[in-house]
Amino acid sequence: MPFQYYPLDSPVHRLDPRVKIIAVLLVSILLLKASLPSLAAATVGFVFISWASRTPLTAVLKSLKPVLPFFICLFILYLFFTPGSPLPYLSFGPVQVTQEGLTMAITQVGKFLLLVAAASLFTMTTSPIEITTGLERLLRPLKVFGLSSHDLAMMISLAFRFIPQFVIELNSIRQAQQARGADLNESGIAGKIRLMAGLASTLTSNMFRRSDQLIDAMEARGYHPGPRTYLNNLCFRRSDYGVLAALTVIAVAVWL
């Protein structure tokens, strides 16, 4: 399941959640200015980290499936609407594919796909409680503005946890509609819009119901907003300092 935690024992799982959060944010920023060679190097690095985490690479790739239609459309737009030098073997009459368009399409779409894959790998190697604790520690400076770091961290972690539930609900709705004889492969724009509208309305209603159930469960367990203590306090180890140092070196090298 995309964005679902895999309880494994690996060097990536044992890292401090604050280090992993900083790493994801830093990679996201650096990818925005990455060129095609840098993107290829980042992809190789991502595959290595995925292998080190012992997380199935197929599970990470499945997390890209929901966003693939959008990225395919984006790829086509970059490919055919970027001016530049036409490629002779890929141009047909008024339809021209330029070298700049092909490079831009691969680079930009590759960046977005790698960002989604990095976020998915982060949630697969970090438990919900670790995400909440790590975010709370990183957001503590916001207390000077009167904001509760725990409440912000809880909202962000709940948003992460609702992503797998979103996919489960969507699949359940599709299966229920198909069992009732609905045609999920309607042709034409009007048919697809009607199908998406039906899915969206039912999915929204179900997710609001799930939210109400979550609120009732939290209240039944005595949850209340505000600061709190934890059984396990976060503490940096040598491996965490080593990863932070490596990230700093990579960030400076890419920036220069």
Side-chain angles (χ1 to χ4, degrees):
M1 180 61 61
F3 296 95
Q4 185 177 9
Y5 175 62
Y6 283 78
L8 303 173
D9 184 20
S10 72
V12 180
H13 284 75
R14 291 192 294 268
L15 285 176
D16 192 284
R18 292 170 292 180
V19 175
K20 288 185 275 190
I21 293 172
I22 293 173
V24 172
L25 293 176
L26 187 59
V27 168
S28 302
I29 295 173
L30 294 178
L31 280 177
L32 294 178
K33 61 171 297 184
S35 60
L36 191 57
S38 302
L39 183 63
T43 304
V44 173
F46 173 80
V47 173
F48 174 76
I49 295 173
S50 178
W51 170 79
S53 68
R54 300 177 184 176
T55 304
L57 187 58
T58 54
V60 180
L61 295 178
K62 283 183 180 179
S63 65
L64 304 176
K65 186 177 179 180
V67 296
L68 273 182
F70 169 74
F71 288 141
I72 291 174
C73 294
L74 189 63
F75 185 90
I76 294 173
L77 289 175
Y78 277 119
L79 191 63
F80 292 106
F81 294 96
T82 302
S85 304
L87 295 174
Y89 299 103
L90 296 177
S91 300
F92 308 94
V95 180
Q96 292 185 344
V97 177
T98 63
Q99 182 177 355
E100 291 78 5
L102 182 60
T103 304
M104 184 72 70
I106 296 174
T107 303
Q108 297 300 326
V109 174
K111 289 179 182 180
F112 290 124
L113 288 175
L114 200 57
L115 286 175
V116 175
S120 178
L121 184 61
F122 166 68
T123 56
M124 289 179 179
T125 58
T126 313
S127 66
I129 187 62
E130 288 178 337
I131 294 176
T132 304
T133 309
L135 286 172
E136 182 180 2
R137 296 296 188 273
L138 293 175
L139 295 175
R140 277 185 176 179
L142 295 179
K143 287 184 178 180
V144 295
F145 300 104
L147 299 176
S148 173
S149 59
H150 173 76
D151 293 344
L152 292 173
M154 178 61 70
M155 287 189 293
I156 296 174
S157 62
L158 287 178
F160 274 116
R161 298 309 304 162
F162 258 87
I163 295 177
Q165 189 63 45
F166 182 90
V167 178
I168 293 174
E169 289 289 340
L170 182 60
N171 292 333
S172 299
I173 294 170
R174 291 176 64 90
Q175 292 174 3
Q177 290 184 347
Q178 196 170 15
R180 291 174 174 85
D183 184 10
L184 301 182
N185 298 316
E186 292 191 38
S187 59
I189 297 178
K192 292 185 180 298
I193 292 176
R194 183 169 58 251
L195 177 62
M196 292 178 61
L199 287 173
S201 60
T202 308
L203 181 62
T204 303
S205 176
N206 288 359
M207 295 310 295
F208 274 117
R209 188 178 69 252
R210 292 288 184 183
S211 300
D212 291 336
Q213 293 174 354
L214 177 62
I215 293 173
D216 293 339
M218 294 174 67
E219 290 179 348
R221 288 166 174 78
Y223 175 82
H224 62 277
R228 62 197 61 241
T229 58
Y230 290 94
L231 177 63
N232 298 318
N233 291 320
L234 298 180
C235 181
F236 279 152
R237 296 179 295 182
R238 291 183 179 179
S239 57
D240 299 313
Y241 286 114
V243 172
L244 286 176
L247 289 173
T248 304
V249 172
I250 294 173
V252 173
V254 172
W255 186 263
L256 295 179

